């Protein structure tokens, strides 16, 4: 092989690499942009979910559950506290109150739905269907609870 041919191949590979480099950089830039867009979307979704919890779910829990099932109550009935994420995850004497993503298996839904004569909460009367639906939807959607508190 002549030295001119070898030099020609070397020059061609440098030219090819030179053309490939901007493409690689462009692809990397596009991937970074997409990652930022996904993160921004995730952040927006997290904010919306947190707002839904604060605006819809938390008022139902405070109004109907906290009197007996919070850290502020003298003794949390059945060992269950609902004023913290850890509280409902650990649950009380009967186990976890909520199975995130599965409202049908969650004790909280069985209690507020009055479907079990042994477990009806709150004891002074069934929640409105609207409040039950808020809790059911929240649990079915993964029971996202942004509260960070002690168990």
């Amino acid at each position: 092989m002549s030295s001119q041919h070898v030099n020609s191949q070397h020059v061609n590979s440098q030219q090819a690499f030179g053309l490939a480099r901007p493409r690689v950089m462009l692809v990397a830039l596009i991937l970074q942009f997409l990652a930022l867009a996904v993160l921004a979307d995730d952040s927006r979704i997290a904010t919306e979910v947190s707002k839904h919890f604060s605006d819809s779910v938390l008022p139902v829990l405070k109004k109907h559950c906290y009197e007996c099932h919070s850290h502020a109550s003298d003794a949390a009935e059945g060992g269950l506290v609902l004023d913290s994420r850890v509280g409902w995850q650990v649950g009380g004497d009967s186990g976890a109150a909520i199975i995130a993503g599965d409202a049908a298996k969650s004790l909280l839904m069985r209690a507020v739905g009055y479907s079990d004569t042994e477990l009806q909460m709150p004891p002074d009367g069934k929640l409105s269907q609207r409040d039950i639906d808020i809790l059911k939807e929240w649990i079915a959607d993964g029971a996202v609870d942004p509260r960070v508190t002690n168990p």
Side-chain angles (χ1 to χ4, degrees):
M1 215 186 256
S2 72
S3 64
Q4 185 178 11
H5 181 67
V6 169
N7 282 341
S8 170
Q9 284 181 330
H10 181 69
V11 169
N12 287 340
S13 68
Q14 284 182 333
Q15 288 172 342
F17 180 73
L19 291 175
R21 179 176 252 173
R23 287 185 193 140
V24 169
M25 289 174 50
L26 179 61
V27 168
L29 186 61
I30 290 170
L31 290 174
Q32 286 177 341
F33 175 76
L34 290 174
L36 288 174
V38 167
L39 289 174
D41 194 45
D42 285 350
S43 176
R44 182 186 56 78
I45 291 169
T47 300
E48 288 175 13
V49 167
S50 181
K51 183 169 174 31
H52 171 70
F53 178 83
S54 297
D55 292 350
S56 300
V57 178
L58 192 54
V60 172
L61 294 174
K62 283 181 176 181
K63 181 178 179 182
H64 300 289
C65 306
Y66 277 20
E67 184 178 338
C68 299
H69 298 287
S70 71
H71 287 93
S73 63
D74 291 333
E77 295 291 326
L80 175 64
V81 291
L82 295 172
D83 61 348
S84 74
R85 178 177 50 211
V86 174
W88 60 256
Q89 286 173 330
V90 171
D93 299 342
S94 300
I98 295 169
I99 308 299
D102 196 344
K105 290 185 181 175
S106 295
L107 287 174
L108 181 70
M109 291 311 302
R110 194 170 88 206
V112 300
Y114 275 52
S115 61
D116 182 338
T117 57
E118 300 294 316
L119 183 64
Q120 296 180 342
M121 295 290 150
D124 59 347
K126 188 175 178 181
L127 300 179
S128 70
Q129 190 58 50
R130 180 182 181 278
D131 287 347
I132 292 171
D133 290 344
I134 286 170
L135 294 173
K136 184 177 183 178
E137 179 184 347
W138 170 62
I139 294 169
D141 287 346
V144 175
D145 183 345
R147 300 173 297 173
V148 179
T149 56
N150 294 327

